[in-house]
Amino acid sequence: MDITNSADSTPLKLAVVVASNREGRFGPVIADWFLSHAAQRDDFTVDVLDLAETDLPTALSHNPSDAVRAELAAVTPVLAAADAFVVVTPEYNHSFPASLKSLIDWHFTEWQAKPVGFVSYGGMAGGLRAVEQLRQVYAELHAVTVRDTVSFHNAHSHFDESGRHKDPTGPDAAAKSMLDQVAWWARALHDAKSVRPYAA
């Protein structure tokens, strides 16, 4: 049974956050692979936030500079408009990138009562330690993280020079399962908020 079925067939707005901003990062390969799957679905329209193209400082301020305001003006509307999120993240030192923490911390209501899915990558752990920490962070922001993830262990070895996965059966199934869960939660929460605003 398709858990994404709903009386409302209006596509949901999915924001995909590409978390790594390191020079020489592998993130675009993973992100492009995932975006090709998201694009095949008719229950989502997709926006991409690539944190290599933003420059939010880690120090928060109640009176941000003009430069910070300009950065926020580029990213905040995308987060606010989204019904759901998928975060594509590497694992850095058993955690997630500072660029992602900055994006999260500069926002609050934009995350509330929305689902978050994860695509992670790294070495032997496949980025899962970053994901487990992110679950705690997003819980504090009243977001709902879905159970199933997509994880690439020793990610470089799974993709060819063209960015195609060498053995896509397992990852393809994982991406479908995660997106199905994100869609179900996004629709359920969207419909609930249309009847009763979420009270944090």
Side-chain angles (χ1 to χ4, degrees):
M1 182 176 66
D2 185 354
I3 64 172
T4 64
N5 284 342
S6 170
D8 183 357
S9 60
T10 305
L12 299 156
K13 295 179 181 178
L14 177 68
V16 176
V17 179
V18 183
S20 174
N21 62 357
R22 281 186 177 178
E23 185 176 351
R25 64 196 176 135
F26 195 63
V29 174
I30 304 293
D32 288 347
W33 174 88
F34 174 72
L35 288 167
S36 71
H37 288 72
Q40 295 173 21
R41 300 180 63 110
D42 58 10
D43 50 352
F44 289 119
T45 60
V46 180
D47 285 310
V48 180
L49 270 180
D50 187 343
L51 299 190
E53 299 173 0
T54 66
D55 189 24
L56 289 172
T58 55
L60 302 184
S61 171
H62 293 294
N63 186 26
S65 68
D66 289 344
V68 173
R69 290 179 189 276
E71 293 291 338
L72 290 170
V75 300
T76 301
V78 177
L79 300 180
D83 297 302
F85 307 98
V86 169
V87 176
V88 180
T89 185
E91 181 177 313
Y92 292 166
N93 302 320
H94 288 210
S95 188
F96 53 92
S99 54
L100 177 56
K101 189 64 163 65
S102 294
L103 178 74
I104 292 170
D105 287 351
W106 275 101
H107 299 89
F108 182 64
T109 57
E110 292 81 5
W111 305 111
Q112 284 184 351
K114 298 177 183 180
V116 183
F118 299 104
V119 178
S120 66
Y121 59 99
M124 290 297 293
L128 292 175
R129 290 174 291 208
V131 170
E132 290 309 306
Q133 292 189 29
L134 282 166
R135 292 189 189 279
Q136 299 176 66
V137 173
Y138 277 112
E140 180 65 18
L141 297 171
H142 299 253
V144 178
T145 60
V146 302
R147 178 193 179 277
D148 288 8
T149 65
V150 182
S151 177
F152 294 103
H153 305 254
N154 298 317
H156 289 78
S157 66
H158 293 287
F159 292 84
D160 64 22
E161 293 180 356
S162 299
R164 291 189 297 263
H165 199 280
K166 298 175 182 177
D167 185 15
T169 303
D172 287 356
K176 182 183 184 306
S177 178
M178 184 266 285
L179 282 168
D180 283 349
Q181 292 175 15
V182 168
W184 189 94
W185 278 104
R187 183 65 66 194
L189 291 168
H190 178 275
D191 291 350
K193 287 182 291 185
S194 70
V195 175
R196 183 180 299 108
Y198 179 72

